[in-house]
């Protein structure tokens, strides 16, 4: 069981240099029945620092600030658990629903992510000043031009895009940016979430999504959410990922109890620019 503390912090200029590399997104859940049990699962190396890692979301809703940098979360100051390869950033509700699986609790309660079209990016930004600069764009249009489907993220100083995932509702004029894999809609709705089939090195499932309901009852063809553990394998139409799996595509390992005592001695700090 993790011990974590939810705090707001502004990154200082003297923060440690980044050691983050080769991480990818393996699962996202952004919309559920009731209070949203939202999270993003990242696959990396056990024990590796998260310094430099950022999660950001660009608004894709054509009727609401299209192209604006909508969410900016800095994951620096933490590390991947020593007993497995997953780092999970999630809401308070996700932490309650999946005890011991959320490594870092976000700041926005049930609104960690919007329930509308968006492009999710995992960035590596080693320099703290560059991370502050990225955060300075929050709430502004970062498209390369009006009407463009590309953003300024790839050309921002010190920024490397490690992975990107687009999730959309049924508005045909919405936009997924920078060539990210494009998921949805689920009928006429935003998908509850998406997952790499069986984890890495599997492709994403383009037509089988995470279960919207939170009562735990099976609801095929939807698959159950599995933050912090290997994704289940299912039959679906594959969609190639934006970012390659670490280590040439080795499978992630399930979260184990062997690191419990070590985790109990640590506190997790939520940092948002």
């Amino acid at each position: 069981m993790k011990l974590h503390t939810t705090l707001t912090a502004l990154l200082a200029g003297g923060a440690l240099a980044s050691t983050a590399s080769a991480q990818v997104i393996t699962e996202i859940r952004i919309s559920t029945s009731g209070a949203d049990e939202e999270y993003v699962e990242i696959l990396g190396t056990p024990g590796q620092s998260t310094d430099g890692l950022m999660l950001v979301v660009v608004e894709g809703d054509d009727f609401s600030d299209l192209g604006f940098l909508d969410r900016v979360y800095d994951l620096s100051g933490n590390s991947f658990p020593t007993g497995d390869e997953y780092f999970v950033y999630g809401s308070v509700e996700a932490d309650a629903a999946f005890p011991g699986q959320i490594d870092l609790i976000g700041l926005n309660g049930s609104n960690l992510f919007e329930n509308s079209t968006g492009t999710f990016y995992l960035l590596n930004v080693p320099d703290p000043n560059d991370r502050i600069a990225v955060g300075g764009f929050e709430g502004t249009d970062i498209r390369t031009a009006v009407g463009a489907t590309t953003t300024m993220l790839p050309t921002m100083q010190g920024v490397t895009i490690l992975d990107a995932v687009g999730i959309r509702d049924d508005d045909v004029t919405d936009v997924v940016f920078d060539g990210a894999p494009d998921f949805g809609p689920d009928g006429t709705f935003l998908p509850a979430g998406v997952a790499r089939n069986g984890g890495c090195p599997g492709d994403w499932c383009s037509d089988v999504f995470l279960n919207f309901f939170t009562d735990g009852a099976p609801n095929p063809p939807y698959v159950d959410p599995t933050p912090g553990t290997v994704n289940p394998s299912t039959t679906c139409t594959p969609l190639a990922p934006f970012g390659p799996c670490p280590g040439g595509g080795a499978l992630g390992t399930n979260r184990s109890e062997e690191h419990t005592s070590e985790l109990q001695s640590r506190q997790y700090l939520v940092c948002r620019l």
Side-chain angles (χ1 to χ4, degrees):
M1 185 69 66
K2 299 180 179 61
L3 177 64
H4 41 61
T5 303
T6 304
L7 300 172
T8 306
L10 180 65
L11 289 176
L16 294 175
S18 172
T19 57
S21 62
Q23 290 89 354
V24 293
I25 298 169
T26 48
E27 187 175 338
I28 300 176
R29 198 181 196 206
I30 60 172
S31 179
T32 63
S33 58
D36 287 339
E37 299 166 358
E38 301 174 326
Y39 61 83
V40 173
E41 177 189 79
I42 301 166
L43 177 66
T45 302
Q48 186 176 31
S49 171
T50 61
D51 286 354
L53 284 183
M54 302 183 76
L55 275 173
V56 304
V57 184
V58 175
E59 177 66 61
D61 192 334
D62 189 32
F63 297 100
S64 176
D65 297 330
L66 178 64
F68 277 53
L69 188 57
D70 188 52
R71 295 287 193 274
V72 177
Y73 299 117
D74 191 333
L75 309 184
S76 299
N78 299 276
S79 62
F80 284 74
T82 57
D84 68 78
E85 298 171 324
Y86 294 106
F87 184 89
V88 185
Y89 180 73
S91 64
V92 172
E93 291 78 9
D95 185 57
F98 305 100
Q101 302 299 91
I102 307 302
D103 298 286
L104 188 60
I105 296 177
L107 299 174
N108 290 337
S110 298
N111 197 30
L112 196 63
F113 305 110
E114 289 194 46
N115 297 153
S116 60
T117 301
T119 306
F120 294 73
Y121 297 82
L122 179 64
L123 308 178
N124 185 23
V125 190
D127 190 309
N129 292 318
D130 292 338
R131 297 199 295 274
I132 292 172
V134 172
F137 285 97
E138 187 172 13
T140 66
D141 189 347
I142 64 166
R143 291 176 294 175
T144 53
V146 174
T149 59
T150 53
T151 72
M152 296 185 291
L153 284 170
T155 58
M156 286 185 183
Q157 179 173 316
V159 173
T160 300
I161 299 177
L162 299 177
D163 207 353
V165 177
I167 303 178
R168 66 166 64 240
D169 56 32
D170 67 338
D171 188 337
V172 296
T173 60
D174 285 356
V175 177
V176 167
F177 290 95
D178 293 321
D182 190 341
F183 300 93
D186 181 7
T188 59
F189 298 101
L190 183 80
V194 295
R196 293 193 189 223
N197 194 13
C200 277
D203 288 335
W204 291 95
C205 276
S206 67
D207 52 3
V208 174
F209 305 116
L210 298 186
N211 194 353
F212 171 78
F213 296 101
T214 58
D215 57 9
N219 186 30
Y222 299 96
V223 295
D224 289 332
T226 57
T229 58
V230 176
N231 297 340
S233 296
T234 189
T235 301
C236 65
T237 302
L239 184 61
F242 182 98
C245 289
L251 284 169
T253 55
N254 283 324
R255 183 152 303 188
S256 68
E257 296 300 322
E258 62 190 64
H259 63 293
T260 299
S261 60
E262 187 264 343
L263 286 171
Q264 287 176 334
S265 67
R266 299 170 54 191
Q267 292 185 330
Y268 288 85
L269 178 67
V270 173
C271 296
R272 181 182 179 187
L273 291 174

